[in-house]
Amino acid sequence: MKPEYLEAWFHCPLPPERLPAAFGVVPACTPFGRLLPANENRCRTEALRRRLDELGVSSFPVAGGSRDARHLEPGFGVEGLSSEQLRALGREFEQDAVFWVAAGQVLLVPCGPGEAVPWGEWQARWIECA
């Protein structure tokens, strides 16, 4: 997995105390690390939102990226899927990895082969956004 994943910051409008006890974070942008035009990434994000609606799961906006927000990949926090279901959803949207958060601890979960990597505390890398 790319080392940049371990440097990600989560831009999320919900404060940590209002988050579910367990949830995943999945984007749809930059499939397998390929940079796409902004309009294609917007279409992919909308397709992911529709897919989450089809699955009937609860979701909220989360963007992953740099601390200063110069690079952000919009995605969703997802409640109601297991980490394996989230991993499958990541594969469906051509992602290298997704994040799994439980009891405030974050795991970086590869969508392909490999083991989840402990990443740290959500609150330590959370940035409130509007």
Side-chain angles (χ1 to χ4, degrees):
M1 275 188 285
K2 296 179 178 89
E4 293 88 2
Y5 293 138
L6 296 172
E7 297 177 21
W9 287 80
F10 298 105
H11 299 255
C12 178
L14 297 177
E17 63 273 7
R18 291 193 42 220
L19 292 171
F23 64 96
V25 176
V26 62
C29 300
T30 318
F32 298 129
R34 286 188 333 265
L35 295 177
L36 297 177
N39 64 325
E40 286 185 47
N41 279 328
R42 278 191 298 276
C43 288
R44 292 179 63 83
T45 299
E46 180 57 24
L48 174 57
R49 187 199 57 76
R50 286 192 308 270
R51 182 71 174 113
L52 294 171
D53 288 347
E54 288 171 7
L55 293 170
V57 295
S58 178
S59 66
F60 51 92
V62 176
S66 63
R67 184 176 188 162
D68 64 8
R70 286 185 180 176
H71 172 78
L72 286 179
E73 292 187 14
F76 297 94
V78 181
E79 181 182 20
L81 296 178
S82 69
S83 62
E84 276 307 310
Q85 291 170 315
L86 186 76
R87 182 184 241 179
L89 185 63
R91 280 192 300 271
E92 183 179 334
F93 281 87
E94 304 175 303
Q95 298 299 297
D96 291 322
V98 293
F99 292 94
W100 180 253
V101 184
Q105 297 298 309
V106 182
L107 292 175
L108 178 60
V109 181
C111 292
E115 297 295 317
V117 176
W119 188 84
E121 290 184 19
W122 173 269
Q123 191 161 351
R125 299 293 268 209
W126 167 75
I127 296 175
E128 185 176 16
C129 65

